[in-house]
């Protein structure tokens, strides 16, 4: 019996296991789909280098998904398809720890769905804006004091900058001299890092329960309706700003190319996508967003794109120890696409601010 098969046997699955196949495009956890004679399940190996407290992590996910199920049931939705459902182990635990001290978890598999690495049209962009906003609404009355912080300072851009500076100083992989343009690019924008944090500190931006990893491919689209039905990857659901969710989503949904496109001539920030996503997002959060949040929407796209680019560059300098890499210079390639987007966003910022102000006045 191979490793995954013996792990799968520990979970409360209906029927006999037929196959276990790797799926997914995440950079952190390893994911498999398990097919049995009766059903399908997702089996995941939790990356405990990244999530150092998998017990707290699973507690968060279980509590949040149970909460979401209640909300979904109240509005007449399908609780098996509209949120993740944790499948417990045979001894009633939220995870299984194997003999190598690796942590595994499982969910019901949601079938007949599609994920997009890139939005295929403007309707998908708008619908995803609504879906991420709706997720924030559903969790707006979740007691955030009960959430564990699964990764400390996850969107603390100032701290991320310090980590970046440290990686430049240490230069463990001897790569610093070859990326001086990218390093300077970030130094020139150091002052941006504290903007959202300062507004949170002064109370102008409220903390809310946020997703914190709103990549388009974390959204499942129903094959029948082509509408988003479920948000995945709840590992980083924590107190945060809605600007993180909005900005991170447009980092991907606003780009003309994939995150690791090597030809930078193909990488552009698409302003139509910005408009459609924002329309969808604001339709969902119009009753809760405040004026400061609204005014910082365009800036947040730039800031989060810069932050993730900075994390890719930092990992490149640290010898690729955090994000899974699949080719040479993968993290550097990813960093460069992010910086290309940041540059274009900067050119569009005045216009984007104008558009958002207009949309805000029409809410
Ligand atoms: C990681 O897990 P995945 O691949 O959806 C990362 C995000 C980054 C993203 C960049 C826990 O997301 O923060 O934005 O890669 N997740 C974690 O693509 O670090
Ligand atoms: Mg993730």
């Amino acid at each position: 019996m191979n490793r995954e098969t013996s792990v799968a046997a520990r979970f409360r699955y209906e029927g006999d296991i037929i196959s276990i196949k790797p799926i997914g495009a995440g950079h952190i956890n390893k994911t498999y789909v398990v097919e049995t004679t009766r059903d399908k399940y997702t089996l995941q190996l939790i990356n405990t280098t990244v999530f150092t407290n998998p017990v707290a992590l699973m507690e968060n996910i279980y509590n949040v998904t149970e909460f979401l199920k209640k909300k979904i049931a109240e509005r007449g939705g399908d609780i098996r398809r509209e949120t993740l459902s944790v499948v417990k182990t045979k001894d009633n635990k939220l995870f299984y720890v194997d003999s190598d001290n690796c942590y595994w978890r499982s969910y019901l598999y949601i079938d007949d769905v599609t994920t997009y690495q890139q939005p295929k049209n403007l309707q998908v962009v708008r619908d995803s804006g609504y879906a991420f906003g709706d997720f924030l609404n559903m969790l707006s009355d979740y007691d955030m004091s009960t959430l564990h912080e699964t990764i400390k300072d996850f969107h603390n851009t100032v701290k991320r900058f310090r980590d970046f500076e440290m990686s430049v100083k240490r230069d463990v992989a001897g790569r610093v001299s070859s990326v001086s343009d990218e390093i300077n690019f970030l130094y020139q924008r150091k002052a941006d890092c504290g903007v959202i944090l300062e507004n949170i500190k002064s109370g102008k931006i409220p903390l809310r329960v946020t997703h914190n990893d709103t990549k388009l491919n974390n959204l499942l689209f129903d094959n029948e309706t082509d509408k988003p039905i479920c948000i995945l990857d709840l590992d980083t659901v924590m107190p945060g700003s809605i600007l993180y969710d909005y900005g991170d989503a447009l980092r991907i949904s606003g780009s003309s190319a994939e995150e690791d496109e090597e030809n930078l001539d193909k990488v552009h920030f698409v302003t139509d996508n910005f408009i459609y996503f924002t329309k969808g997002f604001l339709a969902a959060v119009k009753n809760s967003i405040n004026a400061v949040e609204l005014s910082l929407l365009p800036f947040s796209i730039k800031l989060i794109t810069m932050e993730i680019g900075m994390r890719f560059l930092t990992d490149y300098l640290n010898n690729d120890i955090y994000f899974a890499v699949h080719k040479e210079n993968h993290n550097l390639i990813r960093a460069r696409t992010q910086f290309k987007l940041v540059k274009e966003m900067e050119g569009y910022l005045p216009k984007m601010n104008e558009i958002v102000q207009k949309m805000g006045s029409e809410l």
Side-chain angles (χ1 to χ4, degrees):
M1 211 191 286
N2 71 13
R3 185 190 192 198
E4 292 84 41
T5 316
S6 65
V7 170
R10 304 296 180 137
F11 285 88
R12 238 183 243 170
Y13 291 160
E14 307 253 350
D16 301 323
I17 294 168
I18 300 171
S19 65
I20 305 180
K21 294 185 185 134
I23 49 156
H27 299 338
I28 308 291
N29 301 313
K30 210 162 170 6
T31 311
Y32 302 85
V33 54
V34 180
E35 193 172 352
T36 72
T37 46
R38 302 267 296 277
D39 216 336
K40 278 185 184 172
Y41 304 90
T42 303
L43 179 67
Q44 236 173 6
L45 171 61
I46 302 173
N47 180 331
T48 46
T49 311
V50 170
F51 298 106
T52 50
N53 188 346
V55 180
L57 171 79
M58 287 313 293
E59 212 175 284
N60 271 3
I61 292 189
Y62 185 73
N63 291 336
V64 165
T65 52
E66 288 303 299
F67 183 89
L68 287 173
K69 280 184 203 170
K70 273 191 214 130
K71 289 272 161 116
I72 292 163
E74 270 165 29
R75 66 186 196 190
D78 180 349
I79 57 167
R80 272 185 72 106
R81 287 178 68 72
E82 294 178 34
T83 185
L84 291 171
S85 296
V86 174
V87 177
K88 291 186 183 169
T89 61
K90 286 177 178 161
D91 54 358
N92 207 30
K93 297 241 166 61
L94 299 175
F95 49 84
Y96 168 68
V97 190
D98 71 14
S99 52
D100 296 327
N101 210 28
C102 292
Y103 283 70
W104 298 79
R105 67 175 168 212
S106 187
Y107 299 115
L108 292 179
Y109 183 81
I110 302 169
D111 223 340
D112 305 312
V113 291
T114 301
T115 53
Y116 299 109
Q117 299 307 316
Q118 288 267 230
K120 64 168 183 180
N121 57 39
L122 290 172
Q123 192 57 45
V124 161
V125 176
R126 187 185 178 131
D127 290 342
S128 57
Y130 188 87
F132 285 124
D134 184 49
F135 182 84
L136 294 166
N137 285 341
M138 280 208 284
L139 289 175
S140 62
D141 55 345
Y142 188 90
D143 178 2
M144 76 171 103
S145 69
T146 64
L147 279 173
H148 305 285
E149 204 177 357
T150 54
I151 299 180
K152 211 174 152 356
D153 291 321
F154 192 61
H155 278 301
N156 181 336
T157 322
V158 173
K159 162 82 170 35
R160 295 287 187 190
F161 198 92
R162 281 202 297 271
D163 293 347
F164 155 69
E165 283 181 305
M166 192 55 82
S167 73
V168 174
K169 208 166 139 199
R170 291 206 179 120
D171 194 16
V172 293
R175 291 171 168 174
V176 163
S177 60
S178 63
V179 289
S180 47
D181 286 352
E182 288 77 10
I183 291 173
N184 289 337
F185 182 89
L186 288 175
Y187 272 107
Q188 283 156 11
R189 288 158 180 82
K190 185 174 178 178
D192 288 334
C193 295
V195 173
I196 294 180
L197 283 172
E198 273 146 32
N199 279 291
I200 292 175
K201 264 191 213 146
S202 68
K204 290 186 188 144
I205 292 181
L207 281 179
R208 307 176 192 270
V209 178
T210 49
H211 181 282
N212 294 305
D213 188 5
T214 47
K215 282 158 96 162
L216 180 62
N217 67 7
N218 279 332
L219 204 53
L220 298 180
F221 285 76
D222 189 304
N223 283 349
E224 210 172 282
T225 60
D226 207 18
K227 294 283 177 197
I229 50 156
C230 181
I231 294 189
L232 304 178
D233 198 353
L234 306 177
D235 293 333
T236 48
V237 171
M238 287 184 281
S241 162
I242 62 168
L243 294 169
Y244 302 151
D245 282 3
Y246 170 86
D248 200 9
L250 268 164
R251 174 180 79 83
I252 297 285
S253 295
S255 174
S256 62
E258 291 203 23
E259 194 182 55
D260 60 355
E261 173 57 58
E262 287 185 54
N263 180 354
L264 290 182
D265 292 339
K266 291 188 183 162
V267 181
H268 298 290
F269 184 65
V270 185
T271 47
D272 270 357
N273 290 17
F274 153 74
I275 293 170
Y276 274 74
F277 186 93
T278 308
K279 277 185 189 163
F281 188 78
L282 287 179
V285 303
K286 60 175 185 269
N287 295 325
S288 55
I289 192 165
N290 76 24
V292 178
E293 289 169 321
L294 189 75
S295 71
L296 284 171
L297 286 176
F299 172 80
S300 76
I301 313 170
K302 173 196 152 172
L303 183 71
I304 300 301
T305 306
M306 182 172 102
E307 179 190 285
I308 312 287
M310 180 155 69
R311 290 176 59 199
F312 287 141
L313 185 63
T314 302
D315 198 35
Y316 180 71
L317 296 176
N318 290 345
N319 215 13
D320 309 314
I321 52 175
Y322 186 93
F323 296 105
V325 286
H326 309 293
K327 56 182 163 184
E328 217 188 317
N329 295 339
H330 208 163
N331 273 318
L332 178 60
I333 293 164
R334 290 168 177 152
R336 284 182 173 149
T337 59
Q338 304 309 293
F339 297 162
K340 168 82 191 274
L341 289 168
V342 167
K343 236 191 240 159
E344 287 203 355
M345 287 164 190
E346 287 173 343
Y348 291 137
L349 264 183
K351 184 81 197 145
M352 291 202 285
N353 284 330
E354 225 176 81
I355 292 170
V356 164
Q357 281 319 311
K358 186 158 182 295
M359 283 184 190
S361 67
E362 287 162 3
L363 287 180

